[in-house]
């Protein structure tokens, strides 16, 4: 008997969805930073066993959209609420309730088995944890609550075993050696965006899009050409920095990570371009993979 299922991870920004995803898959598929709205796409991570295939979806954190890109991000979340075999609703210690009314009623009335994952318990203590678990179990009697630490790989095995029990009998949806639905270029873009989130402040990371235009794998090296888009001229100068030093720094950091990820030497040719208000431009959002 073979089982397969779509297991979708949703929750507020910064609760640790991507940390969980990488922990489950055992690869650095999703980028992780301490800034909210690190994840902008829906990313599949596939875990294969002899008798099961678990297709996890990492999704953007739930926000009230204030520009078109955020609308698209929320469409990824809505999609993930609709097509799950198992929903993983992630919360972090300290969170008391689900603030978004629509999502709250979806979770309350969900016909799909829902596991509430109470994350970051390494930051808590036994007493507070018990209070938190009681609070969530009484609010969501139809869901199961699992205290976890995605960062420390604590109690993750229990969650996986429960998921395997729940998912239906089905042949695999993807080839058994496939890890994700995203192409190699996507991971280049994301790695650069991770460095931009880490090394620039305020609006900069949120105004940036990264597009890899060329990815040429040769015998001993991968040659990559990538464009960093910003919304305004002033942001271009900030990204490049004095004598180009800021751009050089993130390029080098991204390259080193990508060499490990791809297991090969990498060369990146980086350019910065202004694309006025790309975050609100439907055609560009479509081109960048945020809309169908
Ligand atoms: N202490 C602690 N920190 C954690 C844990 N899991 C994640 N974090 C941290 O929380 C921050 C956010 O983690 P992410 O995995 O990027 O969170 P996310 O939910 O994917 O965030 P968005 O993509 O912005 O929605 C990072 O600094 C992680 O290191 C945990 O179990 N314990
Ligand atoms: Mg994330």
């Amino acid at each position: 008997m073979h089982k397969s299922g779509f297991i979708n991870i949703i929750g507020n920004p910064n609760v640790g969805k991507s940390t969980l995803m990488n922990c489950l898959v055992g690869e650095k598929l999703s980028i992780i930073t301490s800034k909210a709205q690190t994840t902008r796409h829906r990313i599949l991570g596939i875990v294969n066993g002899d008798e099961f295939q678990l297709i996890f979806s990492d999704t953007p954190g739930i926000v009230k959209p204030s520009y078109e890109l955020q609308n698209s991000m929320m469409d990824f979340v809505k999609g993930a609420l609709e097509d799950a075999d198992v929903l993983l609703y992630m919360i972090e210690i300290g969170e008391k309730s689900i603030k978004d009314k629509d999502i709250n009623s979806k979770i309350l009335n969900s016909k799909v088995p829902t596991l509430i994952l109470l994350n970051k318990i390494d930051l808590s203590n036994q007493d507070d944890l018990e209070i938190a678990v009681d609070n969530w179990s009484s609010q969501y009697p139809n869901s199961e609550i699992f205290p976890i630490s995605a960062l420390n790989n604590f109690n993750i095995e229990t969650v996986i075993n429960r998921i395997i029990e729940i998912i239906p009998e089905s042949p695999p949806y993807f080839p058994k050696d496939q890890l994700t639905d995203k192409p190699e270029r996507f991971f280049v873009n994301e790695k650069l965006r991770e460095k931009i989130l880490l090394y620039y402040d305020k609006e900069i990371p949120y105004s940036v899009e990264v597009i890899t235009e060329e990815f040429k794998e040769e015998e001993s090296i991968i040659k990559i050409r990538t464009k960093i888009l910003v919304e305004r001229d002033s942001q271009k100068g900030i990204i490049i920095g004095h004598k180009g030093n800021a751009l050089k720094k993130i390029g080098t950091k991204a390259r080193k990570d990508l060499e490990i990820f791809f297991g090969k030497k990498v060369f990146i040719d980086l350019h910065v371009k202004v694309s006025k208000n790309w975050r609100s431009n439907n055609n560009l959002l479509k081109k960048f993979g945020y809309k169908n």
Side-chain angles (χ1 to χ4, degrees):
M1 181 184 76
H2 189 278
K3 298 176 111 185
S4 303
F6 285 86
I7 304 112
N8 302 346
I9 312 169
I10 62 167
N12 282 343
N14 223 28
V15 292
K17 300 177 297 298
S18 300
T19 308
L20 174 70
M21 166 78 153
N22 290 355
C23 178
L24 290 162
V25 179
E27 294 278 345
K28 290 185 180 163
L29 280 188
S30 289
I31 57 167
I32 297 167
T33 79
S34 60
K35 290 201 172 88
Q37 297 180 56
T38 294
T39 305
R40 287 178 179 171
H41 291 267
R42 179 171 175 176
I43 304 159
L44 300 193
I46 305 166
V47 175
N48 289 299
D50 286 341
E51 294 181 337
F52 61 84
Q53 180 169 72
L54 311 178
I55 305 139
F56 292 99
S57 282
D58 185 16
T59 64
I62 299 158
V63 289
K64 281 214 164 24
S66 50
Y67 44 89
E68 197 51 37
L69 168 64
Q70 289 182 327
N71 273 324
S72 299
M73 286 160 64
M74 286 313 97
D75 286 342
F76 289 133
V77 177
K78 282 178 209 152
L81 275 163
E82 302 301 328
D83 65 14
D85 293 302
V86 182
L87 264 180
L88 304 182
Y89 190 84
M90 185 179 256
I91 51 175
E92 63 182 322
I93 209 85
E95 231 177 302
K96 300 274 187 305
S97 60
I98 301 177
K99 297 262 161 35
D100 187 298
K101 286 203 180 88
D102 285 348
I103 305 241
N104 186 49
S105 77
K106 283 239 163 71
I107 301 290
L108 267 176
N109 305 313
S110 177
K111 304 231 175 352
V112 175
T114 303
L115 313 185
I116 294 181
L117 306 184
L118 174 53
N119 192 32
K120 306 194 186 179
I121 64 164
D122 54 289
L123 301 176
S124 187
N125 58 58
Q126 193 66 32
D127 288 346
D128 290 349
L129 183 56
E130 278 170 24
I131 294 168
V133 171
D134 286 349
N135 167 38
W136 286 95
S137 346
S138 63
Q139 283 191 72
Y140 300 92
N142 300 327
S143 307
E144 300 168 42
I145 322 285
F146 292 84
I148 63 165
S149 170
L151 190 66
N152 299 337
N153 197 358
F154 177 79
N155 219 16
I156 305 299
E157 195 70 35
T158 320
V159 175
I160 294 179
N161 290 338
R162 183 66 188 120
I163 291 168
I164 295 171
E165 279 173 15
I166 298 173
I167 55 169
E169 221 179 297
S170 151
Y173 293 97
F174 292 91
K176 280 274 179 127
D177 56 357
Q178 190 171 337
L179 178 67
T180 179
D181 62 328
K182 293 279 184 273
E184 285 151 329
R185 290 168 193 233
F186 175 80
F187 297 99
V188 176
N189 301 342
E190 288 291 88
K191 190 45 77 182
L192 275 153
R193 220 163 49 71
E194 177 191 85
K195 301 309 174 203
I196 292 164
L197 278 151
L198 289 173
Y199 297 108
Y200 298 89
D201 290 329
K202 304 199 181 91
E203 266 303 285
I204 296 283
Y206 301 99
S207 309
V208 159
E209 177 63 344
V210 183
I211 308 289
T212 293
E213 295 177 320
E214 242 182 85
F215 183 102
K216 265 204 281 196
E217 182 154 6
E218 297 176 3
E219 183 98 11
S220 60
I221 192 167
I222 303 173
K223 290 182 181 159
I224 298 169
R225 189 160 51 84
T226 300
K227 228 168 44 189
I228 296 176
L229 301 183
V230 289
E231 294 216 300
R232 292 193 300 274
D233 289 318
S234 58
Q235 295 169 336
K236 181 173 171 178
I238 296 173
I239 291 280
I240 294 171
H242 183 58
K243 291 188 178 161
N245 282 337
L247 185 65
K248 218 176 281 166
K249 176 173 161 182
I250 57 162
T252 304
K253 297 227 176 242
R255 177 177 55 76
K256 286 186 175 154
D257 286 0
L258 289 169
E259 287 183 338
I260 295 170
F261 187 77
F262 292 121
K264 216 175 225 186
K265 220 169 137 49
V266 166
F267 168 80
I268 312 180
D269 182 19
L270 266 183
H271 298 269
V272 186
K273 242 192 91 182
V274 179
S275 172
K276 290 225 168 7
N277 300 322
W278 67 265
R279 296 192 303 190
S280 310
N281 182 319
N282 273 321
N283 285 335
L284 287 179
L285 289 171
K286 213 178 258 181
K287 195 170 151 203
F288 302 157
Y290 294 105
K291 283 177 184 290
N292 289 325

